[in-house]
Amino acid sequence: LSISETFVGLEIHAQISSNSKLFSGSQVQFAAPPNSLVSFFDASLPGTLPVLNRRCVEAAVMTGLALNCSINKKSLFDRKHYFYADLPAGYQITQQRVPIAVNGSLSYSLCIDSKMSQMVTKTVRIKQIQLEQDSGKSLHDDTRSQTLVDLNRAGVGLMEVVMEPDMCCGEEAAAAVRELQLILQTLGSSQAVMAEGQLRVDANVSVHHPGEPYGVRTEVKNINSIRFLAKAIDYEIQRQIEELENGGTILNETRAFDSKLGCTVPMRDKEGKQDYRFMPEPNLPPLILYDAKSLPANMNHQQVINIDWIHERLPDLPSVKRKKLVEQYGILPEHSFTLLNEEGLAEFFESVVKQTQMKPKKVIGWILKDLLSYLKQHSLTVKESPVSSFVLADLLNLLEKKEISSTAAKQVLAELWKGEGKTPLEIVKEQKLELLQDQKELEQICQAVIDGHKNEVMAIKAGNPKVLNKLIGLVQKKTQGRSNPVLVKQLLEKKLSG
């Protein structure tokens, strides 16, 4: 029997973008000196109490609304016990029984062919979003065979987003996480930078024969880049299929992805299911949220969170932004994905369009083919581009007003990348790249080319019009790219037919 059904579910921990931790006033800061951001509560000194951070709750509500979840007006906190050096309390405060948001969905798109031309949209169900504390960091020092603990991250607020197993391969999971990342960044609820551990993904993978019950699942933990996520899942699917086809069994175990070897390796098996001894958190009351209808009249607004108020202030989500770009500028849907995938690129594009007479459909070519490929080559962000939207618009205006040819425009752009502060017009003048406006001179050059290429002229007259392009190219060469190809074509055709 062939095993064809694969199920992939994800658990994603997103670090909430907030100045302080979930239950304490300690600052949140990446790569601060070890143990410099640890309050008495973070270190779990006796007698310290948690105080819930309003900003973290608002971020979770925003995220829940953006992912079409129902927001629970009453959610509860629980203690999840386990013993580990980087968890000083011996438990993590989480929301196991009643999380802040449930039953959502996330739509994401992926290309079904290599040319990026056909996009298909899929949806994954979101089971829940819960608030919880992050743990500290253990640093294993092998040379001295000791472990050091940094508690700066202990108690930082996390949102755990649990996705149902609605995906079937690494590519789908990667596309879903990328879309979630864009949504979080658009909302500002998490910076979601994977390289800084602000977005960590665990993948649950199982395979089975169609029509049979679900297979045993394994969990691949702490995947820290979208590219590795796709690789880890696809490797794990193949591994399980081969194991079953060879008559083996799949263990319910936790595995890690080794990015150097490109494979998953077992961590600890979940056979002896860990008993987390969940219990209600006695030091925190239920978290009560309100909407416009249930808001008590005499309440201090600083003390309550109004779901409707947050809902009204949600920014345009990536899917809406993409739709607007396509409708407003007539660009292709796949181009709208590229514009949003690069931070600041959509704004750059719109800014160029506003400042130039060129049609948006032509501008997008310059943005994606010329600007973006240059930035990628030199690993620069849009913000770091040596050519501003204002300068690029200037250049495209020269091209649009037929003052230079597109060949010349590319030469000017090559100069602009050097970032020497010259304007496009100055470069055009310096390098004498203006289009020849003198029709007489152009006609003479065309005549000279015709006179010097008898064979080609005969081929064209014998009915092979493609050769004309060669002549146009020669005129362009003679004028060093300063002739307008459309005009040259007209002149040559006129002379040849005469």
Side-chain angles (χ1 to χ4, degrees):
L1 266 174
S2 72
I3 296 162
S4 59
E5 291 210 273
T6 313
F7 291 91
V8 178
L10 301 175
E11 290 168 17
I12 297 151
H13 287 93
Q15 182 183 314
I16 298 170
S17 170
S18 155
N19 295 330
S20 53
K21 295 184 182 180
L22 184 56
F23 298 114
S24 79
S26 303
Q27 255 196 304
V28 177
Q29 196 189 323
F30 180 66
N35 298 307
S36 59
L37 306 172
V38 187
S39 69
F40 291 151
F41 175 78
D42 305 330
S44 189
L45 266 62
T48 53
L49 292 170
V51 177
L52 180 56
N53 176 341
R54 177 191 176 104
R55 157 73 191 159
C56 292
V57 178
E58 287 174 339
V61 171
M62 275 170 91
T63 306
L65 291 170
L67 296 175
N68 313 303
C69 293
S70 310
I71 307 294
N72 280 325
K73 293 214 185 90
K74 176 180 179 181
S75 61
L76 306 171
F77 289 102
D78 304 284
R79 290 184 179 184
K80 174 182 180 175
H81 294 83
Y82 60 94
F83 294 103
Y84 205 67
D86 56 24
L87 193 75
Y91 60 84
Q92 172 201 39
I93 303 179
T94 178
Q95 294 192 300
Q96 194 250 344
R97 293 165 299 162
V98 186
I100 192 161
V102 292
N103 298 337
S105 63
L106 168 70
S107 293
Y108 61 95
S109 297
L110 67 164
C111 314
I112 40 183
D113 64 355
S114 54
K115 286 215 296 290
M116 275 284 292
S117 58
Q118 229 185 331
M119 312 282 294
V120 40
T121 300
K122 303 199 164 194
T123 301
V124 53
R125 289 168 299 155
I126 307 267
K127 185 178 176 209
Q128 64 187 56
I129 299 174
Q130 63 201 46
L131 281 167
E132 59 187 36
Q133 295 171 303
D134 206 345
S135 59
K137 231 179 178 157
S138 298
L139 305 156
H140 304 290
D141 180 348
D142 291 335
T143 47
R144 299 196 190 136
S145 63
Q146 64 179 10
T147 295
L148 303 167
V149 175
D150 177 7
L151 293 179
N152 282 348
R153 205 179 64 187
V156 167
L158 298 178
M159 295 178 282
E160 180 178 357
V161 180
V162 182
M163 295 185 180
E164 299 281 10
D166 295 342
M167 293 154 286
C168 68
C169 63
E171 195 191 357
E172 285 189 5
V177 171
R178 177 67 185 123
E179 188 67 11
L180 175 66
Q181 187 180 35
L182 277 175
I183 290 171
L184 294 171
Q185 289 166 342
T186 303
L187 295 171
S189 58
S190 169
Q191 288 162 9
V193 179
M194 286 189 120
E196 294 186 10
Q198 294 163 356
L199 200 67
R200 308 194 282 278
V201 184
D202 302 338
N204 292 305
V205 178
S206 77
V207 299
H208 68 184
H209 301 294
E212 285 186 11
Y214 288 148
V216 176
R217 70 185 177 126
T218 60
E219 182 175 20
V220 187
K221 293 287 265 191
N222 283 337
I223 305 165
N224 60 3
S225 95
I226 289 182
R227 208 164 44 96
F228 290 158
L229 173 66
K231 283 193 169 143
I233 289 171
D234 289 336
Y235 175 87
E236 186 55 24
I237 290 169
Q238 271 320 109
R239 185 191 71 82
Q240 290 189 22
I241 289 175
E242 282 165 23
E243 184 74 45
L244 290 173
E245 283 177 350
N246 295 333
T249 52
I250 305 295
L251 298 174
N252 173 222
E253 61 182 356
T254 305
R255 298 176 72 91
F257 180 64
D258 184 322
S259 53
K260 288 188 184 67
L261 297 173
C263 65
T264 63
V265 291
M267 277 167 66
R268 46 173 193 261
D269 64 0
K270 281 196 165 178
E271 282 304 336
K273 256 286 187 241
Q274 239 181 325
D275 177 13
Y276 291 120
R277 304 196 325 283
F278 284 103
M279 61 172 268
E281 166 55 66
N283 294 324
L284 286 166
L287 170 56
I288 308 289
L289 306 174
Y290 298 91
D291 56 19
K293 283 204 289 288
S294 65
L295 198 65
N298 53 359
M299 278 285 242
N300 173 358
H301 284 292
Q302 294 301 307
Q303 295 301 313
V304 293
I305 287 178
N306 179 344
I307 300 166
D308 291 330
W309 192 87
I310 293 175
H311 202 218
E312 284 157 20
R313 282 158 184 75
L314 283 183
D316 272 352
L317 293 179
S319 53
V320 175
K321 281 191 195 163
R322 285 191 282 257
K323 211 170 140 205
K324 283 188 177 172
L325 287 168
V326 170
E327 285 169 3
Q328 199 173 339
Y329 300 112
I331 60 175
L332 295 168
E334 53 269 29
H335 290 163
S336 72
F337 275 86
T338 317
L339 283 180
L340 280 201
N341 270 337
E342 299 301 319
E343 201 186 339
L345 193 59
E347 292 75 16
F348 193 100
F349 165 71
E350 293 197 88
S351 167
V352 173
V353 169
K354 280 198 188 85
Q355 302 172 63
T356 166
Q357 286 98 44
M358 187 180 272
K359 289 204 167 65
K361 279 183 177 174
K362 275 170 77 179
V363 174
I364 194 81
W366 284 86
I367 295 276
L368 300 185
K369 287 197 194 75
D370 300 276
L371 178 85
L372 190 58
S373 54
Y374 176 89
L375 295 177
K376 287 250 187 270
Q377 251 171 336
H378 298 81
S379 42
L380 294 169
T381 63
V382 176
K383 277 198 186 78
E384 295 164 339
S385 168
V387 176
S388 69
S389 57
F390 177 72
V391 170
L392 183 60
D394 249 3
L395 173 61
L396 297 185
N397 277 335
L398 291 176
L399 179 57
E400 197 58 21
K401 290 189 206 136
K402 308 247 185 316
E403 287 179 29
I404 55 174
S405 68
S406 60
T407 328
K410 300 230 188 261
Q411 283 172 265
V412 175
L413 190 57
E415 275 300 305
L416 289 171
W417 286 131
K418 295 178 186 167
E420 290 166 357
K422 293 179 192 160
T423 67
L425 197 56
E426 284 165 358
I427 296 171
V428 167
K429 295 258 189 282
E430 252 173 49
Q431 303 203 4
K432 304 201 170 40
L433 295 169
E434 311 96 325
L435 279 183
L436 286 175
Q437 300 299 346
D438 183 347
Q439 185 125 357
K440 282 246 161 58
E441 189 184 346
L442 198 53
E443 282 189 31
Q444 285 165 354
I445 295 170
C446 289
Q447 195 57 54
V449 167
I450 289 173
D451 294 344
H453 296 83
K454 297 275 185 276
N455 294 348
E456 279 81 353
V457 171
M458 277 162 57
I460 293 167
K461 291 199 163 158
N464 185 351
K466 281 197 179 145
V467 184
L468 185 60
N469 289 336
K470 185 179 172 185
L471 295 186
I472 296 172
L474 289 164
V475 174
Q476 280 281 55
K477 206 168 172 184
K478 265 205 156 66
T479 60
Q480 290 155 336
R482 292 171 58 207
S483 51
N484 177 354
V486 184
L487 185 58
V488 171
K489 188 176 180 207
Q490 286 167 355
L491 288 174
L492 288 170
E493 280 172 344
K494 197 165 130 199
K495 287 186 184 298
L496 289 169
S497 63

